[in-house]
């Protein structure tokens, strides 16, 4: 019997939809390699805590 999604699951689904839309926009504007590179760099910055450091500098 299927269960109702939790608020957290709904929230995560919404973020994945936003990421999909952003990725499609980057691919349409530039290309697939650009989109993948940008998303990989973003993941790396998150892993290295560089996102937080850039936000603090602003």
């Amino acid at each position: 019997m299927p269960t109702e999604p939790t608020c957290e699951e709904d929230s995560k689904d919404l973020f994945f939809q936003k990421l999909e839309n952003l990725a499609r926009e980057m691919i349409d504007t530039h290309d697939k390699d650009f989109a993948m590179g940008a998303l990989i760099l973003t993941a790396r910055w998150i892993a290295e805590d560089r996102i937080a450091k850039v936000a603090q500098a602003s």
Side-chain angles (χ1 to χ4, degrees):
M1 172 157 56
T3 61
E4 290 293 314
T6 65
C7 289
E8 182 177 359
E9 290 170 329
D10 285 341
S11 175
K12 288 178 180 180
D13 285 345
L14 182 59
F15 278 110
F16 276 115
Q17 289 171 0
K18 289 178 181 182
L19 283 169
E20 178 185 1
N21 291 338
L22 179 59
R24 287 180 190 274
E25 184 179 349
M26 288 190 293
I27 291 167
D28 290 345
T29 304
H30 297 289
D31 58 28
K32 186 170 37 171
D33 289 338
F34 170 78
M36 287 187 299
L39 293 169
I40 288 168
L41 274 176
T42 303
R44 194 169 157 190
W45 289 355
I46 292 168
E48 295 172 356
D49 230 5
R50 291 176 66 181
I51 295 284
K53 292 174 187 168
V54 170
Q56 290 172 356
S58 298

